[in-house]
Amino acid sequence: MKAIRFHAHGGPDVLRFEDVADPVPGPGDALVRVRACALNHLDLWERRGIQKVRIPLPHISGSDVAGEVVSAPRGSPPPGTRVMLQPGLGCGACAACLSGADNLCARFDVLGYKSDGGYAELVTVPAANLLPIPDTVDWVRAAAFPLTFLTAWHMLVARARVQAGEWVLVLAAGSGVGQAAIQVARLHGARVIATAGTAAKRERALGLGAESAIDHYGPSLVDEVRSVTAGRGVDVAIEHVGEATWDRSVRALARGGRLVTCGATTGPNGHIDLRALFARQISLLGSYMGSKGELVQAAQLMFIGRLVPIVDSVFPLERAADAQAYLESGEHFGKVVLTT
Ligand SMILES: [Zn+2]
């Protein structure tokens, strides 16, 4: 098959479009013909190299895949079935996995992180990770959905337990998680304040249902949040930017507010004033992906058009380096997707 691989860590130029042996499915695995694969920031970290994490080289990235089943164990969706893939890989046998919290599995992995992923014509996954999609959902949209919507769903629904009428602050509305979080929050009846770095992105955020959109480079983010919420602050802050915004995200919280974080794109260090933590009764919540069951739940809402993955641009697989450079530029709003 053709695939995009890197043999050493570095910039986008280490990505090579080359011939690779077809993957061989293990027992319990399905083989899938990839039609579309969406990019995530995780792909960029893998390519650059991550401290204390050994990515097997050469490596094929790609966590968000839509395609057709080529072969699968008996009892699984048969060959030809259109599917999206669950990006979370649990062991399937531990207490966490068996109780449906597979993203708490000690052996939890993400498709394309330590295993080979979807920047290829073929990929193998456990058959339990096949999620059939209706004919009305095209490949690109199906690939643009799983990781970011699952992440946003788990943050808002499972971790923050968002309630109708609550205020939710969504950082970086133009990111994959940002556009998903605005929609999931709105779907649960919450009111959304979004941040984005350009006027055009703030306009898009309002179009997705945010009531207010703030410049996240501006010095007055906290003041603006207070002004929109009549001095109260937000009940939930959706953080994934990290160091650059952490302090302001904490200060934007109302008393009893919950900050949920799933990423640290601008750096891993966040300060917290312990007096504010207890006196304001703040909760700090970590969140990583979500469970298989949550993706099945969220996907039903995508199938009927209640959640709509926003696609910024589509590149052919062989131009993955250009696609990653574009994602790194930060100019996108929504997902960048490769097609094969
Ligand atoms: Zn497990």
Side-chain angles (χ1 to χ4, degrees):
M1 68 171 180
K2 290 286 188 192
I4 293 281
R5 291 201 299 190
F6 56 87
H7 295 249
H9 295 293
D13 54 308
V14 300
L15 298 177
R16 291 193 206 157
F17 183 60
E18 56 192 13
D19 290 313
V20 177
D22 289 359
V24 180
D29 286 348
L31 182 67
V32 173
R33 168 75 174 88
V34 179
R35 295 294 177 186
C37 178
L39 272 61
N40 288 287
H41 272 275
L42 182 63
D43 311 356
L44 306 180
W45 298 116
E46 289 158 17
R47 194 204 68 218
R48 294 172 192 153
I50 307 169
Q51 246 183 4
K52 294 179 188 164
V53 176
R54 201 183 64 81
I55 307 284
L57 297 176
H59 184 68
I60 302 173
S61 290
S63 308
D64 270 332
V65 176
E68 285 159 307
V69 176
V70 175
S71 68
R74 210 201 307 223
S76 312
T81 307
R82 302 173 78 248
V83 290
M84 64 164 87
L85 302 187
Q86 292 266 10
L89 305 171
C91 76
C94 72
C97 284
L98 292 174
S99 59
D102 39 290
N103 56 332
L104 287 174
C105 175
R107 286 167 57 192
F108 189 72
D109 192 13
V110 179
L111 178 65
Y113 182 39
K114 291 183 182 166
S115 56
D116 279 340
Y119 285 30
E121 291 174 332
L122 294 165
V123 68
T124 60
V125 284
N129 286 55
L130 303 175
L131 205 168
I133 57 174
D135 290 340
T136 48
V137 175
D138 63 63
W139 300 123
V140 169
R141 246 194 314 152
F145 187 77
L147 197 140
T148 48
F149 274 87
L150 176 58
T151 299
W153 186 277
H154 189 66
M155 291 174 88
L156 280 157
V157 181
R159 301 297 279 142
R161 299 184 184 276
V162 68
Q163 304 295 312
E166 287 192 317
W167 280 106
V168 175
L169 174 65
V170 175
L171 274 293
S175 66
V177 169
Q179 50 92 22
I182 293 174
Q183 296 186 51
V184 173
R186 291 289 300 125
L187 191 72
H188 288 81
R191 306 175 72 180
V192 174
I193 301 172
T195 79
T198 67
K201 288 185 181 183
R202 290 193 286 278
E203 204 55 46
R204 297 285 302 272
L206 295 173
L208 285 178
E211 282 183 45
S212 177
I214 298 174
D215 182 356
H216 60 211
Y217 298 122
S220 57
L221 187 140
V222 178
D223 291 342
E224 289 186 57
V225 165
R226 298 245 170 244
S227 132
V228 173
T229 57
R232 229 180 126 256
V234 292
D235 302 288
V236 177
I238 295 297
E239 242 304 334
H240 50 108
V241 179
E243 251 170 69
T245 52
W246 174 265
D247 184 54
R248 286 175 292 166
S249 298
V250 172
R251 286 192 291 125
L253 291 172
R255 284 175 189 277
R258 296 92 81 197
L259 183 152
V260 197
T261 178
C262 71
T265 311
T266 59
N269 298 306
H271 164 265
I272 186 83
D273 182 333
L274 297 175
R275 296 164 298 183
L277 184 69
F278 67 74
R280 301 182 66 81
Q281 302 196 56
I282 288 167
S283 300
L284 300 178
L285 303 164
S287 191
Y288 191 63
M289 304 270 292
S291 71
K292 285 195 177 69
E294 287 173 308
L295 185 61
V296 172
Q297 243 184 319
Q300 307 311 313
L301 295 159
M302 191 265 263
F303 298 160
I304 59 169
R306 299 285 302 277
L307 294 173
V308 180
I310 306 299
V311 175
D312 177 284
S313 45
V314 179
F315 291 76
L317 177 66
E318 55 267 36
R319 288 189 57 212
D322 294 335
Q324 287 201 355
Y326 177 62
L327 182 64
E328 277 175 326
S329 77
E331 282 163 25
H332 59 288
F333 190 99
K335 299 297 284 179
V336 178
V337 183
L338 302 171
T339 52
T340 65

